[in-house]
Amino acid sequence: MRLTRFTDLALRVLMRLAVAEADLPTTRDVAATMEVPYTHTAKVVARLQHLGLVEARRGRGGGLALTTAGLAASVGGVVRELEGAGDVVDCDGATPCPLRGACVLRGALRRAQEAFFAALDPLTVNDLVAAPTGPLLLGIAGGPPGRTDTP
């Protein structure tokens, strides 16, 4: 199983926002910290807003903030939502596989995909920023270097 770049970036954005302090980062700040294009980050942030995981505050002192739901979100749930419920392989595509009616592989791949999601289900975004990751994120983002707790 391989995550799309979109999902990978979404998880990293959630992690970055989970360690944000009083000065909320902007989408540009997050893009720069993650070293990814602003346009990709903006699309990810818009999707995360739509899911209710992130809120954008306008004006002075504004920026991006993780919602309570975002902090408690299951990583497996986020990945399922962003990756979609599709099969790992497309047996019914433009050129359907001639084995699809009697293939054991398709079912095995579906079970493996569900096992992948199930392994991520117990993890929350908050769990992802526990030490040592949270303090490292703060250092990358320019936060206080000695901080070891997470919000």
Side-chain angles (χ1 to χ4, degrees), residues 16 19-23 134-149:
R16 170 59 186 94
V19 298
E21 294 185 335
D23 291 331
L136 180 61
L137 271 169
L138 280 170
I140 292 170
R147 183 173 169 186
T148 58
D149 63 328

Side-chain angles (χ1 to χ4, degrees), residues 9-10 38 47 54 62 69 73-74 87-88 92 96 98 101 103 113 115 120 124 129-131 138 144 147-148 150:
L9 180 56
Y38 167 78
R47 180 78 166 122
V54 170
S74 161
D87 289 328
V88 175
D92 300 316
C103 184
Q113 181 181 28
L120 296 174
T124 65
V129 295
L138 280 170
R147 183 173 169 186
T148 58
T150 56

Side-chain angles (χ1 to χ4, degrees), residues 6-30:
F6 188 90
T7 300
D8 173 47
L9 180 56
L11 291 172
R12 291 189 289 146
V13 167
L14 291 171
M15 291 169 64
R16 170 59 186 94
L17 295 180
V19 298
E21 294 185 335
D23 291 331
L24 302 177
T26 64
T27 303
R28 285 198 192 283
D29 295 336
V30 172

Side-chain angles (χ1 to χ4, degrees), residues 1-143:
M1 185 78 202
R2 183 177 178 101
L3 297 179
T4 61
R5 292 182 67 189
F6 188 90
T7 300
D8 173 47
L9 180 56
L11 291 172
R12 291 189 289 146
V13 167
L14 291 171
M15 291 169 64
R16 170 59 186 94
L17 295 180
V19 298
E21 294 185 335
D23 291 331
L24 302 177
T26 64
T27 303
R28 285 198 192 283
D29 295 336
V30 172
T33 299
M34 298 297 157
E35 298 179 3
V36 294
Y38 167 78
T39 53
H40 295 326
T41 308
K43 289 176 187 175
V44 166
V45 166
R47 180 78 166 122
L48 294 173
Q49 280 184 275
H50 178 74
L51 294 174
L53 304 175
V54 170
E55 67 179 5
R57 299 176 186 164
R58 295 190 173 272
R60 187 175 193 155
L64 302 174
L66 198 60
T67 64
T68 304
L71 192 60
S74 161
V75 174
V78 172
V79 171
R80 269 188 196 88
E81 187 66 40
L82 297 177
E83 290 290 318
D87 289 328
V88 175
V89 292
D90 186 12
C91 301
D92 300 316
T95 307
C97 176
L99 302 174
R100 74 184 181 281
C103 184
V104 176
L105 179 60
R106 185 177 191 177
L109 289 173
R110 185 173 292 129
R111 287 187 302 278
Q113 181 181 28
E114 275 309 309
F116 175 78
F117 291 139
L120 296 174
D121 282 340
L123 289 171
T124 65
V125 171
N126 193 43
D127 294 333
L128 295 179
V129 295
T133 307
L136 180 61
L137 271 169
L138 280 170
I140 292 170

